[in-house]
Amino acid sequence: MAFLICGGVPLVGEIRAQGAKNAVLPMLFASLLCEGGVTLYGVPQIGDVGVALSLLTQMGVAVSHGGDGSVTLDARAASAPTYALADAAAIRASAYLLGASLFRFGEGAIPYPGGCSFGKRPLDYHKNAFLALGAEWEEDETSIRVRGRHLHGARFSLPYPSVGATVNFILAALCAEGESVLYGFAREGHVMDLVAFLQRMGAFIRPEGNALYIRGKCPLAGLSYTVPPDAVEAGTYLIAAAATGGEVTVRGVRYGEISPLLLCFGEMGVPFRFLGDAVTVYPARHLRGTSVSAAPYPGFPTDLHPPLTVLLSRTAGGVICDLVWHDRFSYVNELEKMGLCACCSKGSVRVRQSCLQGATVTAPDLRGGAALVTAALVARGESVIRGEHLIARGYEGFAEKLYRLGANIRISAEP
Ligand code: EPZ
């Protein structure tokens, strides 16, 4: 399927942020940690959640859907994942099955996790974290197996604040004998949301400075929990509003997560207001260029860097570096088909003022696809954005929300 967009229309109106993709995915897999039902409210209807629920169902987790969009999971009849769990290769978050399986089964095997293709996405930090806790790790080109029925508390330092490795260390340390300490952990909002979720389950996890203290063997009970809002989804709409010269309010936003984008808006001259849990962007008389480095929290979030490139093309330009993913710039080639004036070098793109024209382009990945849609909303004329399924992995009802904001957009079979 593809998005068909006729650009040049300022976005106007109000929407609410969906549940956070990168918070709900670890929560879904963490349902394996407790004896009892876990009910999640505000679960986003996105592709990656569908894959995660399919994986858990194949493992024997009882999954039921409430009429209100809630999902209830009960892992009491579940069995350990095996290489046969082919869907695991579709998403990166399936890596969390390793930590959750060590907790519940003392072992687990999955195909090598997939996700957006930003070059090689190693799991060496995950492996070393598990080895530090006393688990075994075996891998080949296609799959990974972990084993460890008697994990012990450990003090482990991450060489880089990896989101995934932080999540996996926490999940495995919760079944270790004694206390573990993780130094240099990732502090993204969705990681701290998982910590809050696990604390509500009964886990003893305490962040203190650069260290995360985790006590193993605490009994964990089922719970009901509301998935926190997705700052990346919210930021994508705010950037699109600013790029099209519109006025849009996004509700359900937490200041701590959206503040790096608001700082960037301030530098670029994008008028905005943050009130309560809502951000409103207003039309700008003049936009200024800037330069941004995407970095681990509290830096500018890497997942908003691709859409920001489009906004930057509406100004005198600037440079966007990505210190997290040096190879997530393949979307630039597609934007150049729409008239973007840019020059890429390893880990960065220099953007100059551009006049975007409609074109037929293909989404390379989730956030790159969102950037192409943003560009099509700005461009003069019609665009076709192929790879709608990649964008649907992380954005719930993307076309519907944009249509509600006045965009001339529809989904169609790929022409
Ligand atoms: C999570 O990916 C997110 N995915 C990504 O969002 C996000 O871009 C990323 O964190 C950074 O914030 C999910 O939460 C499902 P990392 P993850 O481990 O966990 C290197 C989106 O669009 N690294 O923090 O894979 C790695 O190569 C997606 O929603 C190792 O070298 O990210 C990268 O350069 C895209 N060895 C850096 O660390 C490892 O063992 C960041 O990786 C692990 C990571």
Side-chain angles (χ1 to χ4, degrees):
M1 301 295 272
F3 290 107
L4 305 184
I5 297 169
C6 190
V9 178
L11 298 181
V12 175
E14 180 171 313
I15 54 172
R16 174 166 288 278
Q18 71 186 36
K21 164 175 101 75
N22 293 344
V24 72
L25 289 170
M27 290 175 186
L28 290 169
F29 291 119
S31 66
L32 289 166
L33 271 56
C34 67
E35 293 307 316
V38 171
T39 298
L40 291 170
Y41 294 94
V43 176
Q45 308 298 310
I46 56 177
D48 279 18
V49 165
V51 172
L53 292 175
S54 165
L55 291 171
L56 291 164
T57 302
Q58 292 174 58
M59 290 168 57
V61 174
V63 175
S64 58
H65 296 265
D68 53 1
S70 62
V71 175
T72 296
L73 305 102
D74 188 327
R76 278 174 285 199
S79 49
T82 70
Y83 301 132
L85 217 50
D87 299 358
I91 60 173
R92 174 76 175 181
S94 52
Y96 304 149
L97 275 173
L98 297 170
S101 299
L102 279 173
F103 182 100
R104 188 170 192 87
F105 311 108
E107 64 174 3
I110 59 169
Y112 208 92
C116 294
S117 55
F118 306 142
K120 187 154 174 44
R121 294 180 70 172
L123 290 170
D124 52 330
Y125 303 158
H126 301 240
K127 172 184 174 182
N128 295 335
F130 288 150
L131 295 179
L133 291 163
E136 297 166 23
W137 171 288
E138 294 166 15
E139 71 175 286
D140 58 28
E141 296 71 41
T142 59
S143 57
I144 300 167
R145 167 182 288 284
V146 290
R147 278 196 199 89
R149 296 194 182 285
H150 307 290
L151 302 191
H152 53 70
R155 291 172 174 274
F156 182 71
S157 293
L158 277 171
Y160 171 94
S162 156
V163 168
T166 298
V167 170
N168 255 336
F169 183 89
I170 293 171
L171 296 177
L174 286 170
C175 75
E177 196 63 51
E179 180 174 76
S180 297
V181 188
L182 178 62
Y183 298 101
F185 62 97
R187 298 162 180 276
E188 274 70 6
H190 44 272
V191 174
M192 304 324 292
D193 289 328
L194 175 69
V195 168
F197 172 77
L198 293 168
Q199 287 170 333
R200 280 277 305 282
M201 248 192 206
F204 183 91
I205 307 175
R206 178 171 51 86
E208 194 173 297
N210 184 36
L212 196 62
Y213 294 84
I214 303 152
R215 189 180 301 163
K217 300 285 186 200
C218 293
L220 303 180
L223 75 168
S224 294
Y225 200 81
T226 298
V227 178
D230 193 318
V232 175
E233 187 230 14
T236 303
Y237 287 107
L238 293 169
I239 290 172
T244 58
E247 180 171 329
V248 169
T249 296
V250 179
R251 294 205 171 284
V253 180
R254 292 180 294 184
Y255 185 77
E257 291 194 287
I258 207 74
S259 54
L261 176 61
L262 299 183
L263 195 65
C264 185
F265 279 172
E267 288 167 7
M268 299 179 78
V270 175
F272 68 87
R273 182 187 66 182
F274 187 93
L275 194 60
D277 74 340
V279 177
T280 302
V281 158
Y282 301 95
R285 275 196 296 278
H286 169 70
L287 288 171
R288 297 185 293 269
T290 188
S291 289
V292 172
S293 286
Y297 186 87
F300 186 90
T302 173
D303 297 337
L304 280 177
H305 125 215
L308 187 71
T309 298
V310 179
L311 180 58
L312 202 52
S313 77
R314 312 282 288 150
T315 74
V319 178
I320 295 178
C321 298
D322 197 313
L323 305 177
V324 180
W325 302 107
H326 305 314
D327 296 325
R328 83 174 305 171
F329 293 86
S330 54
Y331 70 93
V332 175
N333 299 333
E334 297 300 306
L335 285 179
E336 286 173 327
K337 295 175 186 172
M338 302 178 79
L340 179 79
C341 300
C343 175
C344 276
S345 57
K346 187 79 176 159
S348 71
V349 57
R350 174 176 293 280
V351 182
R352 291 196 308 280
Q353 187 142 20
S354 313
C355 183
L356 301 179
Q357 309 291 331
T360 295
V361 290
T362 302
D365 54 59
L366 167 56
R367 308 303 178 181
L372 299 183
V373 170
T374 305
L377 294 168
V378 171
R380 269 204 288 270
E382 287 220 343
S383 296
V384 176
I385 317 290
R386 293 187 172 128
E388 178 269 341
H389 65 286
L390 286 177
I391 301 168
R393 285 188 51 210
Y395 291 93
E396 180 181 65
F398 201 32
E400 292 80 359
K401 282 190 170 181
L402 289 169
Y403 182 81
R404 280 219 311 272
L405 294 175
N408 183 337
I409 182 171
R410 62 192 173 85
I411 295 179
S412 157
E414 295 202 5

